Amino acid sequence: TNDNTPLFTWMSVTGGVNYQVQVDNLSTFASPEYDSTAANTTREPGTGLPDGLYYWRVRALNSASEPGAWSALRTVTVDTTGPAAPVHSIPAAGASVRTTPAFSWLASVTATGYEFQYDNDADFSSVTYTSAVQAVTTHTPPAMALGVWNWRVRAKDALGNWGPWSSGRVVNILPPIPVAPVLLSPASGLATNDNTPLFTWMSVT
């Protein structure tokens, strides 16, 4: 769970007036992280449990405060930490490209999803584009405008914990080099008595 104050619940038993619940990172319960006795059958630690594996158990107490046997042990893992920030791959830092590139990064351990952003501000104060969450480590956004852009990525794990953003990396989108125009007139090899002929060609993107 990514909740560091998980809710512990159990069924009431005949003769149970109060219930004692213990939560510990040791199966011996030598020094419980949480130990509470009350009448209800639901308990939530008031202070957050650090990330890690925990054992928990419950026992009932009768009206004379005599305890019954402990329940079987159960375990719960608390994980509130997201994956490490992804490491950029391509384009290289400061690269100049002539079309919107496919951005890629290295996989982060435990990551199940990634989010990509780019902005013209290095501090990402007015994010221009944010991708949907995706499972792959590459993303090609819709056509980007010309200019200098900063891009970054973050990862999340199976429990929904987001890790930190990677540092920003700069990419410069340059205009494409036009292809050769197609000539229209005069036709190749044409002879003319006009010493100011009109030359025409097709426009190109």
Side-chain angles (χ1 to χ4, degrees):
T1 178
N2 62 357
D3 181 1
N4 66 351
T5 58
L7 185 66
F8 296 94
T9 64
W10 55 91
M11 294 180 64
S12 61
V13 297
T14 303
V17 175
N18 288 307
Y19 297 89
Q20 181 183 11
V21 57
Q22 289 185 336
V23 180
D24 198 353
N25 57 0
L26 298 174
S27 60
T28 59
F29 293 89
S31 56
E33 306 292 323
Y34 179 72
D35 191 334
S36 172
T37 301
N40 60 318
T41 57
T42 299
R43 223 63 57 81
E44 185 176 26
T47 57
L49 297 171
D51 284 8
L53 173 69
Y54 292 91
Y55 302 86
W56 69 285
R57 63 183 182 178
V58 180
R59 65 179 176 179
L61 289 80
N62 62 19
S63 57
S65 296
E66 297 171 319
W70 285 107
S71 66
L73 296 185
R74 278 195 178 181
T75 61
V76 61
T77 299
V78 174
D79 177 9
T80 62
T81 305
V87 176
H88 302 93
S89 180
I90 55 176
S96 292
V97 296
R98 294 196 179 276
T99 57
T100 300
F103 295 89
S104 67
W105 51 91
L106 303 182
S108 295
V109 177
T110 74
T112 59
Y114 299 92
E115 191 173 57
F116 166 92
Q117 287 185 337
Y118 72 78
D119 193 14
N120 57 351
D121 295 317
D123 62 359
F124 292 85
S125 57
S126 57
V127 175
T128 302
Y129 172 81
T130 300
S131 72
V133 177
Q134 55 183 38
V136 295
T137 57
T138 184
H139 180 68
T140 303
M144 297 170 69
L146 304 182
V148 176
W149 299 97
N150 301 275
W151 65 281
R152 65 182 184 178
V153 187
R154 66 174 180 168
K156 75 169 184 175
D157 61 22
L159 294 177
N161 297 308
W162 282 104
W165 286 102
S166 65
S167 57
R169 178 179 275 194
V170 171
V171 63
N172 184 19
I173 309 295
L174 301 176
I177 300 296
V179 298
V182 175
L183 304 180
L184 294 178
S185 64
S188 180
L190 177 72
T192 179
N193 62 357
D194 181 358
N195 66 353
T196 59
L198 180 66
F199 296 93
T200 64
W201 56 90
M202 293 181 65
S203 63
V204 297
T205 302

